[in-house]
Amino acid sequence: MSRIHANNFITSLNGSISDSVTSIVLTSVTGFPVIGAGVTCNVTLANGPDIEIVTATARSSFTLTVTRGAESTVAKAFASGSTVSIRPTAGSFDGKADTDSPTFTGTVTIPTPFTLGAVSVLPTGTELNFVDG
């Protein structure tokens, strides 16, 4: 599942929510990214000291379908007008590869042949090595 982000998205809740609802209504969606199949977006709900991160799994018009209490936050009730924003979270960064020595697991399917820069490559084994320069 891939996670999408948006720069500087901020709006408010259009109606109060309990700590168990899984649909939240926004007052504006201008700048909110499209959530397609297999895509999520972490959204922060805030009202004073109360903060919760939710994972949006779908959007229909102004309504988000969410999973509550993402990234070890606790699901809470929020009043109408509470802030809803997309901002960097620890999970946003923790899910990225370390650039010093990235390690990936799983299966990667590479089309055969493919182009790497100006060089056509025909992989023959299970590893692909690339040396810059």
Side-chain angles (χ1 to χ4, degrees):
M1 182 126 350
S2 64
R3 184 179 301 163
I4 56 174
H5 306 280
N7 290 325
N8 306 313
F9 176 81
I10 189 166
T11 189
S12 58
L13 283 178
N14 186 356
S16 61
I17 60 170
S18 71
D19 62 352
S20 62
V21 301
T22 57
S23 293
I24 61 174
V25 181
L26 309 178
T27 57
S28 172
V29 291
T30 301
F32 197 95
V34 174
I35 301 175
V39 176
T40 63
C41 180
N42 278 2
V43 176
T44 301
L45 308 176
N47 189 2
D50 291 328
I51 294 177
E52 178 188 353
I53 300 169
V54 300
T55 301
T57 57
R59 179 173 69 90
S60 177
S61 189
F62 289 81
T63 303
L64 296 180
T65 301
V66 298
T67 302
R68 303 295 299 268
E71 297 191 32
S72 300
T73 61
V74 176
K76 301 176 183 206
F78 287 91
S80 183
S82 294
T83 301
V84 179
S85 61
I86 298 175
R87 53 173 107 165
T89 63
S92 300
F93 295 106
D94 292 345
K96 301 296 179 191
D98 182 357
T99 58
D100 291 337
S101 57
T103 301
F104 301 97
T105 59
T107 302
V108 176
T109 303
I110 299 174
T112 304
F114 70 98
T115 302
L116 185 62
V119 178
S120 287
V121 179
L122 183 61
T124 56
T126 59
E127 292 188 10
L128 175 66
N129 295 309
F130 174 75
V131 178
D132 191 13

PDB file of all heavy atoms in Angstrom, residues 3-32:
ATOM      1  N   ARG A   3       1.584   5.390   0.318  1.00  0.00           N
ATOM      2  CA  ARG A   3       1.065   6.535   1.062  1.00  0.00           C
ATOM      3  C   ARG A   3       1.327   7.794   0.257  1.00  0.00           C
ATOM      4  O   ARG A   3       2.417   7.991  -0.255  1.00  0.00           O
ATOM      5  CB  ARG A   3       1.755   6.631   2.422  1.00  0.00           C
ATOM      6  CG  ARG A   3       1.185   7.741   3.274  1.00  0.00           C
ATOM      7  CD  ARG A   3       1.832   7.823   4.627  1.00  0.00           C
ATOM      8  NE  ARG A   3       1.663   6.569   5.323  1.00  0.00           N
ATOM      9  CZ  ARG A   3       2.384   6.214   6.374  1.00  0.00           C
ATOM     10  NH1 ARG A   3       3.317   7.006   6.840  1.00  0.00           N
ATOM     11  NH2 ARG A   3       2.181   5.063   6.972  1.00  0.00           N
ATOM     12  N   ILE A   4       0.311   8.638   0.144  1.00  0.00           N
ATOM     13  CA  ILE A   4       0.457   9.896  -0.566  1.00  0.00           C
ATOM     14  C   ILE A   4       0.442  11.049   0.431  1.00  0.00           C
ATOM     15  O   ILE A   4       0.001  10.901   1.572  1.00  0.00           O
ATOM     16  CB  ILE A   4      -0.642  10.084  -1.633  1.00  0.00           C
ATOM     17  CG1 ILE A   4      -2.038   9.982  -1.012  1.00  0.00           C
ATOM     18  CG2 ILE A   4      -0.474   9.085  -2.762  1.00  0.00           C
ATOM     19  CD1 ILE A   4      -3.168  10.286  -1.972  1.00  0.00           C
ATOM     20  N   HIS A   5       0.918  12.185  -0.022  1.00  0.00           N
ATOM     21  CA  HIS A   5       1.027  13.377   0.817  1.00  0.00           C
ATOM     22  C   HIS A   5       0.524  14.587   0.030  1.00  0.00           C
ATOM     23  O   HIS A   5       0.298  14.508  -1.166  1.00  0.00           O
ATOM     24  CB  HIS A   5       2.484  13.605   1.236  1.00  0.00           C
ATOM     25  CG  HIS A   5       3.099  12.412   1.887  1.00  0.00           C
ATOM     26  ND1 HIS A   5       2.891  12.092   3.196  1.00  0.00           N
ATOM     27  CD2 HIS A   5       3.901  11.444   1.398  1.00  0.00           C
ATOM     28  CE1 HIS A   5       3.540  10.995   3.503  1.00  0.00           C
ATOM     29  NE2 HIS A   5       4.164  10.570   2.421  1.00  0.00           N
ATOM     30  N   ALA A   6       0.400  15.701   0.702  1.00  0.00           N
ATOM     31  CA  ALA A   6       0.049  16.960   0.046  1.00  0.00           C
ATOM     32  C   ALA A   6       0.719  18.085   0.820  1.00  0.00           C
ATOM     33  O   ALA A   6       0.855  18.011   2.044  1.00  0.00           O
ATOM     34  CB  ALA A   6      -1.455  17.168   0.026  1.00  0.00           C
ATOM     35  N   ASN A   7       1.157  19.102   0.118  1.00  0.00           N
ATOM     36  CA  ASN A   7       1.769  20.257   0.759  1.00  0.00           C
ATOM     37  C   ASN A   7       0.700  21.233   1.246  1.00  0.00           C
ATOM     38  O   ASN A   7      -0.212  21.590   0.496  1.00  0.00           O
ATOM     39  CB  ASN A   7       2.702  20.989  -0.207  1.00  0.00           C
ATOM     40  CG  ASN A   7       3.943  20.198  -0.502  1.00  0.00           C
ATOM     41  OD1 ASN A   7       4.462  19.493   0.359  1.00  0.00           O
ATOM     42  ND2 ASN A   7       4.429  20.291  -1.728  1.00  0.00           N
ATOM     43  N   ASN A   8       0.821  21.632   2.488  1.00  0.00           N
ATOM     44  CA  ASN A   8       0.042  22.736   3.052  1.00  0.00           C
ATOM     45  C   ASN A   8      -1.472  22.549   3.014  1.00  0.00           C
ATOM     46  O   ASN A   8      -2.210  23.520   2.931  1.00  0.00           O
ATOM     47  CB  ASN A   8       0.408  24.056   2.365  1.00  0.00           C
ATOM     48  CG  ASN A   8       1.889  24.309   2.418  1.00  0.00           C
ATOM     49  OD1 ASN A   8       2.514  24.163   3.463  1.00  0.00           O
ATOM     50  ND2 ASN A   8       2.486  24.662   1.288  1.00  0.00           N
ATOM     51  N   PHE A   9      -1.960  21.306   3.101  1.00  0.00           N
ATOM     52  CA  PHE A   9      -3.408  21.111   3.151  1.00  0.00           C
ATOM     53  C   PHE A   9      -3.886  21.314   4.575  1.00  0.00           C
ATOM     54  O   PHE A   9      -3.378  20.710   5.511  1.00  0.00           O
ATOM     55  CB  PHE A   9      -3.823  19.706   2.684  1.00  0.00           C
ATOM     56  CG  PHE A   9      -5.302  19.489   2.830  1.00  0.00           C
ATOM     57  CD1 PHE A   9      -6.180  19.982   1.881  1.00  0.00           C
ATOM     58  CD2 PHE A   9      -5.821  18.846   3.947  1.00  0.00           C
ATOM     59  CE1 PHE A   9      -7.554  19.814   2.033  1.00  0.00           C
ATOM     60  CE2 PHE A   9      -7.188  18.677   4.103  1.00  0.00           C
ATOM     61  CZ  PHE A   9      -8.058  19.165   3.148  1.00  0.00           C
ATOM     62  N   ILE A  10      -4.868  22.192   4.731  1.00  0.00           N
ATOM     63  CA  ILE A  10      -5.471  22.419   6.045  1.00  0.00           C
ATOM     64  C   ILE A  10      -6.928  22.835   5.839  1.00  0.00           C
ATOM     65  O   ILE A  10      -7.242  23.610   4.937  1.00  0.00           O
ATOM     66  CB  ILE A  10      -4.691  23.464   6.870  1.00  0.00           C
ATOM     67  CG1 ILE A  10      -5.220  23.515   8.297  1.00  0.00           C
ATOM     68  CG2 ILE A  10      -4.688  24.810   6.207  1.00  0.00           C
ATOM     69  CD1 ILE A  10      -4.298  24.259   9.259  1.00  0.00           C
ATOM     70  N   THR A  11      -7.785  22.273   6.658  1.00  0.00           N
ATOM     71  CA  THR A  11      -9.209  22.604   6.627  1.00  0.00           C
ATOM     72  C   THR A  11      -9.761  22.357   8.029  1.00  0.00           C
ATOM     73  O   THR A  11      -8.993  22.326   8.995  1.00  0.00           O
ATOM     74  CB  THR A  11      -9.962  21.793   5.540  1.00  0.00           C
ATOM     75  OG1 THR A  11     -11.291  22.306   5.407  1.00  0.00           O
ATOM     76  CG2 THR A  11      -9.996  20.319   5.841  1.00  0.00           C
ATOM     77  N   SER A  12     -11.056  22.146   8.139  1.00  0.00           N
ATOM     78  CA  SER A  12     -11.646  21.856   9.445  1.00  0.00           C
ATOM     79  C   SER A  12     -12.747  20.805   9.295  1.00  0.00           C
ATOM     80  O   SER A  12     -13.210  20.519   8.193  1.00  0.00           O
ATOM     81  CB  SER A  12     -12.214  23.136  10.071  1.00  0.00           C
ATOM     82  OG  SER A  12     -13.179  23.712   9.221  1.00  0.00           O
ATOM     83  N   LEU A  13     -13.130  20.243  10.434  1.00  0.00           N
ATOM     84  CA  LEU A  13     -14.223  19.270  10.459  1.00  0.00           C
ATOM     85  C   LEU A  13     -15.549  19.980  10.244  1.00  0.00           C
ATOM     86  O   LEU A  13     -15.811  21.022  10.849  1.00  0.00           O
ATOM     87  CB  LEU A  13     -14.285  18.553  11.808  1.00  0.00           C
ATOM     88  CG  LEU A  13     -13.279  17.457  12.090  1.00  0.00           C
ATOM     89  CD1 LEU A  13     -13.476  16.912  13.501  1.00  0.00           C
ATOM     90  CD2 LEU A  13     -13.375  16.347  11.064  1.00  0.00           C
ATOM     91  N   ASN A  14     -16.387  19.418   9.416  1.00  0.00           N
ATOM     92  CA  ASN A  14     -17.738  19.933   9.216  1.00  0.00           C
ATOM     93  C   ASN A  14     -18.671  19.026  10.022  1.00  0.00           C
ATOM     94  O   ASN A  14     -19.233  18.077   9.512  1.00  0.00           O
ATOM     95  CB  ASN A  14     -18.100  19.922   7.731  1.00  0.00           C
ATOM     96  CG  ASN A  14     -19.431  20.575   7.466  1.00  0.00           C
ATOM     97  OD1 ASN A  14     -20.125  20.982   8.375  1.00  0.00           O
ATOM     98  ND2 ASN A  14     -19.786  20.666   6.197  1.00  0.00           N
ATOM     99  N   GLY A  15     -18.753  19.286  11.302  1.00  0.00           N
ATOM    100  CA  GLY A  15     -19.538  18.465  12.223  1.00  0.00           C
ATOM    101  C   GLY A  15     -18.630  17.774  13.216  1.00  0.00           C
ATOM    102  O   GLY A  15     -17.472  17.481  12.922  1.00  0.00           O
ATOM    103  N   SER A  16     -19.144  17.534  14.393  1.00  0.00           N
ATOM    104  CA  SER A  16     -18.345  16.873  15.429  1.00  0.00           C
ATOM    105  C   SER A  16     -18.295  15.375  15.155  1.00  0.00           C
ATOM    106  O   SER A  16     -19.134  14.828  14.437  1.00  0.00           O
ATOM    107  CB  SER A  16     -18.928  17.142  16.815  1.00  0.00           C
ATOM    108  OG  SER A  16     -20.240  16.633  16.890  1.00  0.00           O
ATOM    109  N   ILE A  17     -17.269  14.703  15.739  1.00  0.00           N
ATOM    110  CA  ILE A  17     -17.135  13.259  15.585  1.00  0.00           C
ATOM    111  C   ILE A  17     -16.848  12.632  16.951  1.00  0.00           C
ATOM    112  O   ILE A  17     -16.230  13.249  17.814  1.00  0.00           O
ATOM    113  CB  ILE A  17     -16.028  12.872  14.583  1.00  0.00           C
ATOM    114  CG1 ILE A  17     -14.657  13.399  15.031  1.00  0.00           C
ATOM    115  CG2 ILE A  17     -16.368  13.350  13.187  1.00  0.00           C
ATOM    116  CD1 ILE A  17     -13.487  12.866  14.219  1.00  0.00           C
ATOM    117  N   SER A  18     -17.304  11.406  17.111  1.00  0.00           N
ATOM    118  CA  SER A  18     -16.984  10.644  18.323  1.00  0.00           C
ATOM    119  C   SER A  18     -15.645   9.948  18.108  1.00  0.00           C
ATOM    120  O   SER A  18     -15.055  10.042  17.026  1.00  0.00           O
ATOM    121  CB  SER A  18     -18.082   9.610  18.606  1.00  0.00           C
ATOM    122  OG  SER A  18     -18.016   8.569  17.639  1.00  0.00           O
ATOM    123  N   ASP A  19     -15.203   9.216  19.108  1.00  0.00           N
ATOM    124  CA  ASP A  19     -13.921   8.522  18.997  1.00  0.00           C
ATOM    125  C   ASP A  19     -14.024   7.219  18.212  1.00  0.00           C
ATOM    126  O   ASP A  19     -13.039   6.516  18.033  1.00  0.00           O
ATOM    127  CB  ASP A  19     -13.332   8.254  20.382  1.00  0.00           C
ATOM    128  CG  ASP A  19     -14.205   7.360  21.232  1.00  0.00           C
ATOM    129  OD1 ASP A  19     -15.338   7.048  20.823  1.00  0.00           O
ATOM    130  OD2 ASP A  19     -13.756   6.959  22.314  1.00  0.00           O
ATOM    131  N   SER A  20     -15.218   6.887  17.699  1.00  0.00           N
ATOM    132  CA  SER A  20     -15.365   5.616  16.990  1.00  0.00           C
ATOM    133  C   SER A  20     -15.843   5.738  15.542  1.00  0.00           C
ATOM    134  O   SER A  20     -15.886   4.736  14.839  1.00  0.00           O
ATOM    135  CB  SER A  20     -16.326   4.702  17.758  1.00  0.00           C
ATOM    136  OG  SER A  20     -17.604   5.303  17.826  1.00  0.00           O
ATOM    137  N   VAL A  21     -16.193   6.945  15.086  1.00  0.00           N
ATOM    138  CA  VAL A  21     -16.663   7.082  13.705  1.00  0.00           C
ATOM    139  C   VAL A  21     -15.523   6.810  12.729  1.00  0.00           C
ATOM    140  O   VAL A  21     -14.351   7.063  13.037  1.00  0.00           O
ATOM    141  CB  VAL A  21     -17.294   8.461  13.411  1.00  0.00           C
ATOM    142  CG1 VAL A  21     -18.464   8.738  14.314  1.00  0.00           C
ATOM    143  CG2 VAL A  21     -16.271   9.561  13.492  1.00  0.00           C
ATOM    144  N   THR A  22     -15.864   6.304  11.562  1.00  0.00           N
ATOM    145  CA  THR A  22     -14.853   6.030  10.549  1.00  0.00           C
ATOM    146  C   THR A  22     -15.083   6.841   9.275  1.00  0.00           C
ATOM    147  O   THR A  22     -14.394   6.638   8.282  1.00  0.00           O
ATOM    148  CB  THR A  22     -14.813   4.526  10.197  1.00  0.00           C
ATOM    149  OG1 THR A  22     -16.107   4.115   9.764  1.00  0.00           O
ATOM    150  CG2 THR A  22     -14.372   3.703  11.399  1.00  0.00           C
ATOM    151  N   SER A  23     -16.028   7.773   9.329  1.00  0.00           N
ATOM    152  CA  SER A  23     -16.251   8.722   8.234  1.00  0.00           C
ATOM    153  C   SER A  23     -16.224  10.116   8.818  1.00  0.00           C
ATOM    154  O   SER A  23     -16.933  10.394   9.788  1.00  0.00           O
ATOM    155  CB  SER A  23     -17.599   8.489   7.561  1.00  0.00           C
ATOM    156  OG  SER A  23     -17.614   7.262   6.888  1.00  0.00           O
ATOM    157  N   ILE A  24     -15.394  10.978   8.243  1.00  0.00           N
ATOM    158  CA  ILE A  24     -15.346  12.363   8.711  1.00  0.00           C
ATOM    159  C   ILE A  24     -15.611  13.289   7.527  1.00  0.00           C
ATOM    160  O   ILE A  24     -15.196  13.004   6.404  1.00  0.00           O
ATOM    161  CB  ILE A  24     -14.007  12.715   9.412  1.00  0.00           C
ATOM    162  CG1 ILE A  24     -12.819  12.563   8.477  1.00  0.00           C
ATOM    163  CG2 ILE A  24     -13.813  11.852  10.646  1.00  0.00           C
ATOM    164  CD1 ILE A  24     -11.500  13.033   9.074  1.00  0.00           C
ATOM    165  N   VAL A  25     -16.332  14.374   7.793  1.00  0.00           N
ATOM    166  CA  VAL A  25     -16.700  15.316   6.745  1.00  0.00           C
ATOM    167  C   VAL A  25     -15.855  16.583   6.906  1.00  0.00           C
ATOM    168  O   VAL A  25     -15.756  17.142   8.001  1.00  0.00           O
ATOM    169  CB  VAL A  25     -18.208  15.654   6.804  1.00  0.00           C
ATOM    170  CG1 VAL A  25     -18.586  16.615   5.684  1.00  0.00           C
ATOM    171  CG2 VAL A  25     -19.043  14.381   6.721  1.00  0.00           C
ATOM    172  N   LEU A  26     -15.248  17.005   5.794  1.00  0.00           N
ATOM    173  CA  LEU A  26     -14.381  18.189   5.784  1.00  0.00           C
ATOM    174  C   LEU A  26     -15.150  19.394   5.256  1.00  0.00           C
ATOM    175  O   LEU A  26     -16.103  19.250   4.488  1.00  0.00           O
ATOM    176  CB  LEU A  26     -13.167  17.930   4.888  1.00  0.00           C
ATOM    177  CG  LEU A  26     -12.382  16.646   5.144  1.00  0.00           C
ATOM    178  CD1 LEU A  26     -11.235  16.513   4.146  1.00  0.00           C
ATOM    179  CD2 LEU A  26     -11.873  16.605   6.568  1.00  0.00           C
ATOM    180  N   THR A  27     -14.706  20.588   5.635  1.00  0.00           N
ATOM    181  CA  THR A  27     -15.342  21.802   5.120  1.00  0.00           C
ATOM    182  C   THR A  27     -14.802  22.167   3.742  1.00  0.00           C
ATOM    183  O   THR A  27     -15.469  22.870   2.989  1.00  0.00           O
ATOM    184  CB  THR A  27     -15.149  22.994   6.080  1.00  0.00           C
ATOM    185  OG1 THR A  27     -13.759  23.200   6.287  1.00  0.00           O
ATOM    186  CG2 THR A  27     -15.849  22.741   7.402  1.00  0.00           C
ATOM    187  N   SER A  28     -13.608  21.709   3.407  1.00  0.00           N
ATOM    188  CA  SER A  28     -13.014  21.965   2.090  1.00  0.00           C
ATOM    189  C   SER A  28     -12.109  20.792   1.725  1.00  0.00           C
ATOM    190  O   SER A  28     -11.488  20.186   2.610  1.00  0.00           O
ATOM    191  CB  SER A  28     -12.188  23.258   2.120  1.00  0.00           C
ATOM    192  OG  SER A  28     -11.460  23.407   0.909  1.00  0.00           O
ATOM    193  N   VAL A  29     -12.022  20.493   0.445  1.00  0.00           N
ATOM    194  CA  VAL A  29     -11.102  19.456  -0.023  1.00  0.00           C
ATOM    195  C   VAL A  29     -10.132  20.018  -1.066  1.00  0.00           C
ATOM    196  O   VAL A  29      -9.412  19.264  -1.712  1.00  0.00           O
ATOM    197  CB  VAL A  29     -11.854  18.226  -0.587  1.00  0.00           C
ATOM    198  CG1 VAL A  29     -12.571  17.482   0.529  1.00  0.00           C
ATOM    199  CG2 VAL A  29     -12.806  18.607  -1.700  1.00  0.00           C
ATOM    200  N   THR A  30     -10.111  21.327  -1.212  1.00  0.00           N
ATOM    201  CA  THR A  30      -9.192  21.946  -2.169  1.00  0.00           C
ATOM    202  C   THR A  30      -7.758  21.629  -1.765  1.00  0.00           C
ATOM    203  O   THR A  30      -7.331  21.949  -0.664  1.00  0.00           O
ATOM    204  CB  THR A  30      -9.396  23.472  -2.210  1.00  0.00           C
ATOM    205  OG1 THR A  30     -10.751  23.744  -2.573  1.00  0.00           O
ATOM    206  CG2 THR A  30      -8.441  24.125  -3.195  1.00  0.00           C
ATOM    207  N   GLY A  31      -7.043  20.957  -2.643  1.00  0.00           N
ATOM    208  CA  GLY A  31      -5.666  20.573  -2.373  1.00  0.00           C
ATOM    209  C   GLY A  31      -5.513  19.196  -1.755  1.00  0.00           C
ATOM    210  O   GLY A  31      -4.395  18.725  -1.559  1.00  0.00           O
ATOM    211  N   PHE A  32      -6.630  18.535  -1.447  1.00  0.00           N
ATOM    212  CA  PHE A  32      -6.532  17.187  -0.886  1.00  0.00           C
ATOM    213  C   PHE A  32      -6.242  16.222  -2.030  1.00  0.00           C
ATOM    214  O   PHE A  32      -6.886  16.272  -3.068  1.00  0.00           O
ATOM    215  CB  PHE A  32      -7.832  16.785  -0.180  1.00  0.00           C
ATOM    216  CG  PHE A  32      -7.660  15.611   0.743  1.00  0.00           C
ATOM    217  CD1 PHE A  32      -7.421  15.806   2.092  1.00  0.00           C
ATOM    218  CD2 PHE A  32      -7.703  14.314   0.261  1.00  0.00           C
ATOM    219  CE1 PHE A  32      -7.247  14.726   2.944  1.00  0.00           C
ATOM    220  CE2 PHE A  32      -7.531  13.227   1.101  1.00  0.00           C
ATOM    221  CZ  PHE A  32      -7.294  13.440   2.455  1.00  0.00           C
TER     222      PHE A  32
END
